[in-house]
Amino acid sequence: MAASSTPFDAERELEDLRRRAYGPHPDIQADPAALARLKELEAARSASPPYGAYPEIGPPAAVAADEPAVDGDWSSPDPPDWAAGEHSPPPLWQRLTSKQARRASFVAGALVALVALVYTVAGLVGPRADATLHPIADEPDRVVLSLLRFVGADIDRSTVRGYQTYRGFQPWFSRENGGSQCFMLVDRSTSTVDGANCVPPGVDLFADVGEWPLLGEDYTEGLPDGSIIRFHYRGDSVDVFLYPSSTIG
């Protein structure tokens, strides 16, 4: 590409080449000669003030006496849209590198978000229950009411609700007149209560039963000594979790 003969032509040529490199539809990568010329003109402009001479074209031509003076910058009527105050956009290699860095940063951020989502979902799902017990239609009988009085719960009788039996234990939920929620496990075979507790609203409500097969309990079948059965109150159901102990020795 021939060098411009005047600073005006050089400026217009530089602006045209910049549009091809930095504009909305860059095509200068397919034109090695144009790319080389762009680097040459940018280097020349960086080495001299805006009104100075371009080394490759010699000093600027003298302005004729009858030619009106030109005020301001020599930029074209339609300059590229880069930030105000910048004399020139960054070199092409810097812009390409910046785009690659932004793309890599975006991918890394997306991976971090995905990992966080996986751990969040895993935490919400949690361990799977070994059994789920549903409410029964039966009203609380004399045994249940007497056991509630035995544990000292000042319950609202209309809130008492029973659930299906698991390994001989039947969960019962009730609400105290003071607002606390109560949960207990009734062993029908012995008319006894186990794991009874009351907690304020919003606190997890559960009851644990310890497994000691050597003592001869029927509900311990298939579980090693020291295992735990947890009955976790969920509102419309009770989830049961088995936590077998590790055998030692």
Side-chain angles (χ1 to χ4, degrees):
M1 184 179 295
S4 303
S5 59
T6 68
F8 297 100
D9 294 336
E11 281 290 333
R12 292 192 183 96
E13 182 183 4
L14 178 59
E15 298 298 337
D16 290 340
L17 292 173
R18 284 175 174 170
R19 290 191 193 95
R20 293 184 61 187
Y22 312 125
H25 305 290
D27 64 351
I28 201 168
Q29 289 297 325
D31 189 345
L35 183 60
R37 179 60 175 167
L38 172 62
K39 293 179 179 179
E40 180 183 4
L41 290 177
E42 284 187 334
R45 183 168 185 178
S46 299
S48 59
Y51 292 96
Y54 281 78
E56 75 276 12
I57 61 174
V63 179
D66 57 349
E67 183 177 348
V70 179
D71 295 329
D73 194 5
W74 288 341
S75 60
S76 65
D78 186 21
D81 184 20
W82 47 66
E86 294 184 357
H87 296 295
S88 63
L92 181 59
W93 68 269
Q94 287 185 357
R95 303 191 75 180
L96 294 177
T97 303
S98 177
K99 290 180 180 178
Q100 292 174 352
R102 288 196 299 269
R103 187 179 297 110
S105 177
F106 173 79
V107 172
L111 289 176
V112 170
L114 179 59
V115 171
L117 178 61
V118 170
Y119 277 102
T120 300
V121 172
L124 293 175
V125 173
R128 297 186 61 180
D130 293 281
T132 298
L133 311 180
H134 300 286
I136 60 175
D138 299 348
E139 294 290 330
D141 58 12
R142 178 181 55 82
V143 173
V144 173
L145 294 177
S146 64
L147 290 174
L148 283 170
R149 287 193 296 270
F150 173 76
V151 298
D154 179 23
I155 57 97
D156 176 358
R157 184 167 176 171
S158 65
T159 64
V160 181
R161 180 169 54 178
Y163 294 82
Q164 295 169 318
T165 300
Y166 181 83
R167 291 199 177 214
F169 288 100
Q170 185 180 30
W172 283 87
F173 169 84
S174 60
R175 193 182 301 275
E176 285 190 316
N177 289 317
S180 293
Q181 301 177 104
C182 299
F183 193 57
M184 69 178 184
L185 304 175
V186 175
D187 183 349
R188 290 286 185 177
S189 65
T190 59
S191 296
T192 56
V193 62
D194 203 340
N197 65 94
C198 296
V199 298
V203 178
D204 277 355
L205 193 55
F206 62 90
D208 290 342
V209 178
E211 296 290 321
W212 299 100
L214 294 181
L215 299 180
E217 291 92 339
D218 293 335
Y219 63 84
T220 62
E221 182 179 357
L223 296 174
D225 261 1
S227 299
I228 294 294
I229 302 177
R230 172 163 294 180
F231 295 78
H232 202 148
Y233 174 74
R234 300 296 191 187
D236 293 335
S237 64
V238 172
D239 286 342
V240 182
F241 300 89
L242 300 180
Y243 298 106
S245 66
S246 299
T247 56
I248 303 176

